[in-house]
């Protein structure tokens, strides 16, 4: 059985969980607090990041991108019209562009700061950087998200799914990222109706249900987080 | 013909140039200063990042990762033993892990800061953030690179190539990143002989030659930058 090291506040780990569920697969899920830099975990991934996927005695697979490509090559390729990367190489590049938008750009401009300041700093001992949140960092991230709402909303308004005609990794990656922020009540849905409508569609998929049951210690989700009609 | 928007100080763009050359392919190369946020360029890639690859009338392909996957699917797959991603999915995941180490981790902990402070700030108008380099940022990046030298050197010392038995995207990505830093004289080669030996091998490949001819306006390369015996 697969083993996935993850955390409910890791967008890339949420993406892997969605892909596994979409492919009717699962894993043993181990929650990892990366800021603890546990020796056994660092031996699996010297970068100290999530997600990490273990498949028996093979070398650990590291990172949302490498893991999703692996799942495409070993699962997706058998799924025909349910495959989550298009067959056409130009359309695949477009799906991957949007995955990178979510896991790299949105992550580095918004999600990383919100999660660090609002979640991890509450849990980390002060010697590791824990303590009061930096309100300036939170304000900057909240300003940045508006640009992302606009761009992703434009994709949602002009396409059936974010990457094109069919649902793809693009939708799951953006959905995973926004769901982390939505848990924390940090998505200004009123800014973009098209994006909200798209999110309602992706949120209602069975693969999303386990994510809606996620809980972070000492920090309950925003009141609308689990509602399909939010 | 392909068109590649790039910059000599973009590690991801250097990776794409290496892959094209390894596959005996080429492109029209257009140098882009992303901080100018040129309207025509932003229309191709609203993220404003490099590299961007244009293939005729298809949608622009964005990002080192998406472009290299595209080149694997459309070129590499035909190259048999010269293919730069292994056939085995676990080995592919390992190569992609190391690509991400170079293009994400090394980039975000070292290269991005060195290039911004030492190259772009000299060229940018002050209204866009140009001006004197921040010596604190440079010092932090120079401290960070030592960890990377150690880890990448460990890979070089224990494997034939960084990703395993054969040369792969892993070597080209790390080579591309280190070559940006080496242009600026920022790689402390004396720290790790195994990494230096590995770099001498990758640097002597014909695909690397065009990179060694790169020039940044007003900033000549470190004296050993072009030497194969450095």
């Amino acid at each position: 059985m697969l083993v996935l090291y993850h955390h409910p506040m890791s967008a890339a780990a949420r993406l892997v969980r969605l892909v596994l569920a979409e492919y009717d697969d699962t894993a043993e899920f181990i929650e990892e607090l990366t800021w603890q830099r546990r020796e056994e975990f660092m031996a699996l991934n010297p970068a100290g990041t999530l997600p990490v996927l273990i498949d028996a005695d093979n070398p650990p697979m590291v990172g949302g991108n490498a893991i999703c490509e692996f799942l495409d090559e070993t699962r997706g390729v058998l799924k025909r019209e349910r495959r989550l990367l298009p067959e056409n190489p130009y359309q695949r590049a477009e799906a991957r562009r949007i995955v990178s938008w979510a896991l790299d750009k949105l992550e580095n401009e918004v999600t990383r700061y919100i999660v660090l300041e609002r979640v991890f700093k509450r849990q980390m001992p002060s010697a590791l950087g824990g303590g009061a949140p930096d309100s300036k960092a939170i304000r900057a991230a909240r300003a940045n998200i508006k640009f992302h709402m606009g761009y992703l909303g434009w994709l949602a308004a002009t396409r059936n799914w974010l990457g094109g005609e069919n649902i793809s990794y693009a939708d799951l990656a953006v959905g995973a990222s926004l769901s982390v922020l939505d848990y924390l009540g940090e998505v200004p849905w009123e800014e973009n109706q098209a994006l909200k409508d798209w999110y309602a569609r992706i949120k209602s998929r069975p693969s999303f249900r386990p994510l809606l049951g996620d809980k972070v210690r000492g920090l309950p989700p925003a009141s609308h987080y689990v509602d399909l009609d939010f």
Side-chain angles (χ1 to χ4, degrees), chain A:
Chain A
M1 193 188 195
L2 298 171
V3 177
L4 183 74
Y5 290 82
H6 81 114
H7 188 278
M9 294 288 103
S10 160
R14 284 187 171 223
L15 166 60
V16 172
R17 291 161 66 201
L18 288 172
V19 173
L20 285 169
E22 289 282 341
Y23 287 156
D24 310 314
D25 208 331
T26 187
E28 179 191 343
F29 296 107
I30 299 179
E31 198 173 306
E32 184 71 30
L33 297 170
T34 51
W35 49 263
Q36 294 183 331
R37 301 180 72 79
R38 265 196 325 123
E39 204 174 321
E40 296 86 346
F41 180 69
M42 297 302 288
L44 296 176
N45 176 16
T49 51
L50 291 172
V52 175
L53 184 70
I54 309 288
D55 185 0
D57 295 333
N58 297 290
M61 288 177 274
V62 169
N65 184 58
I67 294 172
C68 287
E69 294 291 342
F70 170 81
L71 293 175
D72 180 63
E73 289 163 2
T74 57
R75 274 75 172 168
V77 76
L78 311 169
K79 296 291 177 181
R80 304 176 70 98
E81 71 287 348
R82 286 179 54 214
R83 187 173 183 180
L84 292 163
L85 272 179
E87 298 284 335
N88 175 291
Y90 299 100
Q91 293 173 6
R92 291 166 77 85
E94 176 64 0
R96 290 182 177 119
R97 177 180 77 83
I98 299 168
V99 170
S100 168
W101 189 292
L103 297 192
D104 300 326
K105 189 173 171 65
L106 179 58
E107 181 75 20
N108 286 321
E109 295 175 3
V110 181
T111 321
R112 172 193 305 279
Y113 296 105
I114 296 280
V115 169
L116 173 65
E117 299 298 333
R118 290 202 45 206
V119 183
F120 291 146
K121 275 197 174 174
R122 300 162 60 109
Q123 305 179 340
M124 294 155 84
S126 56
L128 294 179
D134 176 348
S135 58
K136 220 172 96 181
I138 294 177
R139 257 201 316 278
R142 283 178 183 159
N144 287 343
I145 198 177
K146 299 195 179 192
F147 163 71
H148 290 272
M149 301 288 292
Y151 181 66
L152 298 170
W154 176 78
L155 290 179
T158 53
R159 299 171 174 187
N160 188 26
W161 291 95
L162 297 189
E165 199 43 38
N166 299 310
I167 190 169
S168 73
Y169 280 178
D171 302 279
L172 301 184
V174 175
S177 288
L178 289 182
S179 73
V180 168
L181 293 167
D182 197 41
Y183 182 101
L184 300 168
E186 295 282 358
V187 185
W189 292 114
E190 70 283 0
E191 296 251 332
N192 199 298
Q193 189 61 41
L195 191 65
K196 187 178 179 185
D197 292 345
W198 163 85
Y199 189 68
R201 283 160 73 202
I202 193 109
K203 188 178 180 178
S204 64
R205 294 178 76 85
S207 64
F208 229 84
R209 216 167 294 148
L211 275 56
L212 300 180
D214 275 356
K215 286 281 179 335
V216 177
R217 185 164 54 89
L219 194 66
S223 58
H224 65 272
Y225 174 68
V226 300
D227 295 349
L228 294 183
D229 187 20
F230 56 104

